[in-house]
Amino acid sequence: QVQLVESGGGLVQAGGSLRLSCAASGRTRSIGDMGWYRQAPGKQRELVATITSGGDTKYADSVKGRFTISRDRYTVYLQMNSLKPEDTALYYCNAKVTPTIEYSYTSWGQGTQVTVSS
């Protein structure tokens, strides 16, 4: 099993910055792609950014140019700049885990709250 623990959330004013971290433990050698998702109250969970084990990245249009995803093997980061009130959400880290060729699953963290005040 793989466990993910997020940290770095908090309260920040609009225009400010935060850096989220997500550390994986357990069967980390089976981890491939990692990513960040978020869920605001009353809304569905949405993709923020993903990064492959080779470092290729993908971003939601709403965060392009403001957020940067990076990873150091099995720790993934999300640098968030120029934050807006609409970025307020519970941010989740995830990882695609492939223990065997025939089986894969997605592991999720518990989430870290980001609140941006106007």
Side-chain angles (χ1 to χ4, degrees), residues 6-11 18-21 80 112-115:
E6 303 100 333
S7 61
L11 174 63
L18 282 174
R19 189 187 195 216
L20 306 184
S21 299
M80 304 186 294
T112 185
Q113 179 67 40
V114 172
T115 303

Short mmCIF file of all heavy atoms in Angstrom, two decimals, residues 6-11 18-21 80 112-115:
data_model
loop_
_atom_site.label_atom_id
_atom_site.label_comp_id
_atom_site.label_asym_id
_atom_site.label_seq_id
_atom_site.Cartn_x
_atom_site.Cartn_y
_atom_site.Cartn_z
N GLU A 6 -0.44 15.17 2.83
CA GLU A 6 -0.28 16.53 2.34
C GLU A 6 0.03 17.48 3.48
O GLU A 6 -0.35 17.23 4.63
CB GLU A 6 -1.55 17.02 1.64
CG GLU A 6 -2.02 16.18 0.47
CD GLU A 6 -3.15 15.26 0.83
OE1 GLU A 6 -3.25 14.87 2.02
OE2 GLU A 6 -3.95 14.92 -0.06
N SER A 7 0.69 18.58 3.16
CA SER A 7 0.94 19.64 4.12
C SER A 7 1.12 20.95 3.35
O SER A 7 1.29 20.95 2.13
CB SER A 7 2.19 19.35 4.95
OG SER A 7 3.34 19.26 4.13
N GLY A 8 1.07 22.06 4.09
CA GLY A 8 1.36 23.34 3.49
C GLY A 8 0.15 24.23 3.25
O GLY A 8 0.31 25.38 2.83
N GLY A 9 -1.04 23.72 3.49
CA GLY A 9 -2.22 24.55 3.29
C GLY A 9 -2.32 25.63 4.34
O GLY A 9 -1.56 25.67 5.31
N GLY A 10 -3.27 26.54 4.15
CA GLY A 10 -3.46 27.60 5.13
C GLY A 10 -4.32 28.72 4.58
O GLY A 10 -4.96 28.58 3.54
N LEU A 11 -4.31 29.82 5.31
CA LEU A 11 -5.07 31.01 4.94
C LEU A 11 -4.11 32.06 4.39
O LEU A 11 -3.08 32.35 5.01
CB LEU A 11 -5.79 31.57 6.17
CG LEU A 11 -6.51 32.89 6.01
CD1 LEU A 11 -7.65 32.78 5.00
CD2 LEU A 11 -7.04 33.36 7.36
N LEU A 18 1.40 30.05 -1.70
CA LEU A 18 1.52 28.90 -0.80
C LEU A 18 2.24 27.80 -1.54
O LEU A 18 2.16 27.71 -2.78
CB LEU A 18 0.15 28.39 -0.34
CG LEU A 18 -0.60 29.16 0.74
CD1 LEU A 18 -1.99 28.56 0.92
CD2 LEU A 18 0.16 29.15 2.05
N ARG A 19 2.90 26.93 -0.78
CA ARG A 19 3.54 25.76 -1.38
C ARG A 19 3.02 24.51 -0.66
O ARG A 19 3.22 24.36 0.55
CB ARG A 19 5.05 25.82 -1.26
CG ARG A 19 5.76 24.73 -2.05
CD ARG A 19 7.24 24.73 -1.77
NE ARG A 19 7.98 23.94 -2.75
CZ ARG A 19 9.06 23.22 -2.44
NH1 ARG A 19 9.50 23.18 -1.20
NH2 ARG A 19 9.69 22.54 -3.39
N LEU A 20 2.37 23.66 -1.41
CA LEU A 20 1.86 22.40 -0.86
C LEU A 20 2.88 21.29 -1.11
O LEU A 20 3.57 21.28 -2.13
CB LEU A 20 0.53 22.03 -1.51
CG LEU A 20 -0.59 23.06 -1.48
CD1 LEU A 20 -1.86 22.47 -2.10
CD2 LEU A 20 -0.84 23.56 -0.08
N SER A 21 2.95 20.38 -0.15
CA SER A 21 3.80 19.20 -0.29
C SER A 21 2.97 17.95 -0.05
O SER A 21 2.01 17.97 0.70
CB SER A 21 4.95 19.24 0.73
OG SER A 21 5.76 20.36 0.54
N MET A 80 1.96 27.61 -5.53
CA MET A 80 0.79 28.36 -5.96
C MET A 80 1.07 29.86 -5.75
O MET A 80 1.26 30.30 -4.61
CB MET A 80 -0.44 27.93 -5.15
CG MET A 80 -0.72 26.44 -5.23
SD MET A 80 -2.26 25.98 -4.41
CE MET A 80 -1.84 26.36 -2.71
N THR A 112 -5.56 18.96 2.19
CA THR A 112 -5.10 20.10 2.97
C THR A 112 -5.88 21.32 2.50
O THR A 112 -6.06 21.54 1.31
CB THR A 112 -3.58 20.31 2.83
OG1 THR A 112 -3.16 21.37 3.70
CG2 THR A 112 -3.16 20.63 1.40
N GLN A 113 -6.38 22.09 3.46
CA GLN A 113 -7.27 23.21 3.13
C GLN A 113 -6.47 24.45 2.71
O GLN A 113 -5.52 24.84 3.41
CB GLN A 113 -8.15 23.56 4.34
CG GLN A 113 -9.09 24.73 4.11
CD GLN A 113 -10.17 24.42 3.08
OE1 GLN A 113 -10.71 23.32 3.05
NE2 GLN A 113 -10.49 25.40 2.25
N VAL A 114 -6.89 25.03 1.62
CA VAL A 114 -6.35 26.32 1.16
C VAL A 114 -7.50 27.31 1.13
O VAL A 114 -8.52 27.07 0.48
CB VAL A 114 -5.71 26.19 -0.24
CG1 VAL A 114 -5.34 27.57 -0.77
CG2 VAL A 114 -4.50 25.29 -0.19
N THR A 115 -7.32 28.41 1.84
CA THR A 115 -8.34 29.46 1.87
C THR A 115 -7.70 30.78 1.47
O THR A 115 -6.70 31.19 2.06
CB THR A 115 -8.96 29.59 3.27
OG1 THR A 115 -9.51 28.33 3.67
CG2 THR A 115 -10.06 30.64 3.27
#
